[in-house]
Amino acid sequence: MDAVRVALLREVLAGTEWLGATRRFAGALRGSVVPYGGGLLLVGTAEYEPWHLAAHLVDEAAWSGTPELSPTLVRHGARASDPAHLAVGLGRLSAARRGETLLVVSPAAPGAGLLERVHDARRAGATVLALEAGDRDLTAMAHESLTVPADTDLDLDTVQHLVSAAAGENAVPVPRGRRRLRDRLSRLADQLTSPPPTRW
């Protein structure tokens, strides 16, 4: 979904809870990866791998100048013979540590095996975010979750587009901390190009 379609979708959804909810979730996502310089792990269920969300986050990372949004896609069926960016298996969740963020996308019950790995990652200090369809166990485990019930007008894929677009927006609040190099360069450029102060 391109930027024009996202803008049209936002117009249609104006006045609903979805714009605020997706922006809040995107802010939590951005706020959990930017201060740590990245470390975003993205995983789905055995039946559903969030390829599109991974691709959109990579695009938003490039367009917004926020490389921290670029995820590592963790796959249930990864094989050693796969290209490097597709060969990251579930064992990576066991290695998750403090400073990393685990984003779980689950359109149905995630299964006990995945929940156990998510629980282990959280115990090790990783931040857990969940885009899910109402699974109580996953919601309870997540630091932040966005539930997309089956009986709503939106589906999980559409919500993922809204979240990825909002995560890349400059308007999403960035947690305080060290300024990015681009922000410092922009401020310096403004100072150098502004006229000298008038003296009376």
Side-chain angles (χ1 to χ4, degrees):
M1 189 178 289
D2 59 28
V4 173
R5 287 183 184 167
V6 169
L8 289 172
L9 180 58
R10 284 176 171 166
E11 264 184 54
V12 170
L13 294 173
T16 70
E17 65 184 38
W18 286 108
L19 292 185
T22 53
R23 283 195 165 118
R24 275 191 301 279
F25 188 81
L29 171 60
R30 190 172 172 129
S32 69
V33 297
V34 170
Y36 292 100
L40 176 58
L41 303 172
L42 177 61
V43 67
T45 63
E47 297 78 26
Y48 180 86
E49 289 189 331
W51 297 93
H52 280 100
L53 181 56
H56 285 298
L57 285 171
V58 168
D59 290 343
E60 292 297 338
W63 294 333
S64 68
T66 313
E68 299 89 351
L69 288 173
S70 205
T72 297
L73 181 62
V74 178
R75 300 180 58 223
H76 288 256
R79 297 175 305 233
S81 59
D82 290 334
H85 68 290
L86 299 176
V88 179
L90 291 176
R92 178 61 180 87
L93 301 184
S94 302
R97 295 290 175 257
R98 184 172 307 283
E100 293 184 306
T101 299
L102 174 57
L103 173 54
V104 183
V105 181
S106 178
L114 179 58
L115 283 174
E116 186 177 324
R117 290 175 187 269
V118 172
H119 178 69
D120 290 346
R122 180 179 167 129
R123 261 197 347 215
T127 300
V128 177
L129 305 177
L131 270 172
E132 40 76 34
D135 183 82
R136 283 189 212 154
D137 293 330
L138 182 56
T139 302
M141 224 176 277
H143 293 91
E144 187 80 29
S145 67
L146 181 57
T147 301
V148 185
D151 60 355
T152 189
D153 292 336
L154 292 182
D155 61 10
L156 191 64
D157 285 337
T158 303
V159 171
Q160 289 177 66
H161 286 293
L162 292 169
V163 167
S164 61
E169 288 177 338
N170 291 329
V172 176
V174 177
R176 292 185 183 189
R178 293 185 347 167
R179 288 189 187 161
R180 294 187 317 202
L181 176 61
R182 189 176 75 171
D183 296 333
R184 293 195 307 256
L185 289 174
S186 176
R187 199 178 81 180
L188 178 61
D190 289 343
Q191 289 173 347
L192 292 174
T193 58
S194 63
T198 307
R199 299 190 184 217
W200 299 97

